Amino acid sequence: MTSYHQPVLVEQILAAAGDARRVVDCTVGGGGHALALLGHGATAVLGIDRDPEAIAAARDRLGREAQLLEGAYDLPHVLDAVRSFAPEFVLLDLGVSSRQLDDEVRGFTFRPGAALDMRMAGSGPTAADLLNQIEERELEQILRTLADERRARRLAREMCRRRDKRPFVVSDDLVNAIRAVLGPRSGPGDFARIFQGIRIAVNDELEGLARALPALRDALAPGGCMAVISYHSGEDRVVKRAFQEWARACVCPPHELRCRCRGRPLGHLEPRKPIVPEESEVAANPRARSAKLRVFRKAAQ
């Protein structure tokens, strides 16, 4: 029997979708959100994922009720498919699924002996390649900006010192480097945060998100809605800034005396602040604890 992770903020997502019939799930995973949207009244669902195993799991769960497309949501051919689909609702759940975390071969976990892979699509440089090859300054930047690590310089230096003696291969290599700098009291919270930052770097996630958001907005039907669930401060910052800019009537530089830009908002936020899970959801599904949902509704004209 296939195991699926519990989807996050389902009721809030269904409320944002409203009576949308044509729906795109850009991170379909095991199909949990897509299945909920179908049950809510969606009649056409396009599910997208860069992970071929996720596409297989979604196909197993959704059958012929959804059209599935393998690829990252920022790729030109994927965005072309979304535009042709003309969605009324677009969803992105930016987290890693429990299925990915549970598979030690995929290398998203810090459990002992797991390979340092972390690739969403299974191709390209691995986490081990990144840790063993990039310059110390670039590694420090990743740790500081993507892992929110205030001891980024010390940790990057320690990691480079260790890789000169023996390359990083498995999760233990990275965990031991973290412990050497953060001390014996460092634990799962520290490991999860740093592993997450490296995963984001391996998969070019923030840059891909920033590229995709405007194209997905343009693909939405007038009055359509986009919902994004983030689990990381960097992800949320990209989404927040994009949505806030779209909701402004004028985006001219402050020194401009006359408005020379679009002169109208492209839509509005629903609501203005992020939606977070209630305590009951976090208790039932710990994966939801860091989730933030932001919703943007495109102007009707």
Side-chain angles (χ1 to χ4, degrees), residues 121-135:
S123 60
T126 66
D129 294 331
L130 182 146
L131 294 172
N132 289 321
Q133 295 172 10
I134 66 171
E135 296 292 332

Side-chain angles (χ1 to χ4, degrees), residues 38-177:
L38 284 165
H40 185 65
T43 56
V45 172
L46 172 62
I48 298 165
D49 209 291
R50 70 200 303 183
D51 183 347
E53 293 183 13
I55 291 292
R59 183 172 291 112
D60 175 53
R61 192 171 196 180
L62 301 172
R64 299 190 178 189
E65 293 192 81
Q67 177 185 342
L68 299 175
L69 177 62
E70 181 183 330
Y73 51 67
D74 62 315
L75 292 177
H77 77 278
V78 173
L79 292 170
D80 285 343
V82 174
R83 281 188 283 268
S84 298
F85 194 78
E88 299 164 299
F89 182 69
V90 170
L91 171 66
L92 296 92
D93 180 347
L94 303 178
V96 177
S97 73
S98 299
R99 175 185 49 76
Q100 290 169 320
L101 290 172
D102 291 341
D103 186 351
E104 294 185 5
V105 175
R106 301 297 302 276
F108 292 101
T109 178
F110 51 81
R111 284 194 293 271
L116 283 170
D117 192 314
M118 303 192 192
R119 296 172 298 176
M120 292 284 193
S123 60
T126 66
D129 294 331
L130 182 146
L131 294 172
N132 289 321
Q133 295 172 10
I134 66 171
E135 296 292 332
E136 181 178 328
R137 181 170 294 183
E138 187 178 356
L139 182 55
E140 177 189 342
Q141 184 72 3
I142 288 171
L143 294 169
R144 190 180 307 282
T145 60
L146 301 184
D148 296 325
E149 178 48 59
R150 59 185 176 84
R151 292 151 291 193
R153 181 173 297 178
R154 286 177 54 202
L155 182 54
R157 186 179 301 119
E158 175 67 15
M159 291 165 69
C160 290
R161 185 187 70 80
R162 286 173 175 253
R163 77 186 187 188
D164 287 343
K165 295 180 178 180
R166 191 180 70 177
F168 285 78
V169 177
V170 295
S171 57
D172 310 68
D173 300 325
L174 180 52
V175 166
N176 290 336

Side-chain angles (χ1 to χ4, degrees), residues 220-257:
L220 274 172
C225 190
M226 182 188 301
V228 184
I229 308 170
S230 63
Y231 303 81
H232 178 271
S233 60
E235 294 170 340
D236 183 61
R237 192 157 45 244
V238 170
V239 177
K240 176 183 178 181
R241 288 175 177 171
F243 284 12
Q244 287 181 338
E245 180 181 322
W246 301 348
R248 292 167 55 194
C250 176
V251 293
C252 289
H255 64 268
E256 291 283 351
L257 298 179

Side-chain angles (χ1 to χ4, degrees), residues 168-205:
F168 285 78
V169 177
V170 295
S171 57
D172 310 68
D173 300 325
L174 180 52
V175 166
N176 290 336
I178 295 169
R179 281 185 171 142
V181 173
L182 273 59
R185 290 190 176 184
S186 58
D190 299 301
F191 307 149
R193 175 170 48 79
I194 292 169
F195 272 64
Q196 180 187 46
I198 293 168
R199 184 210 83 212
I200 288 171
V202 167
N203 294 286
D204 194 29
E205 294 178 38

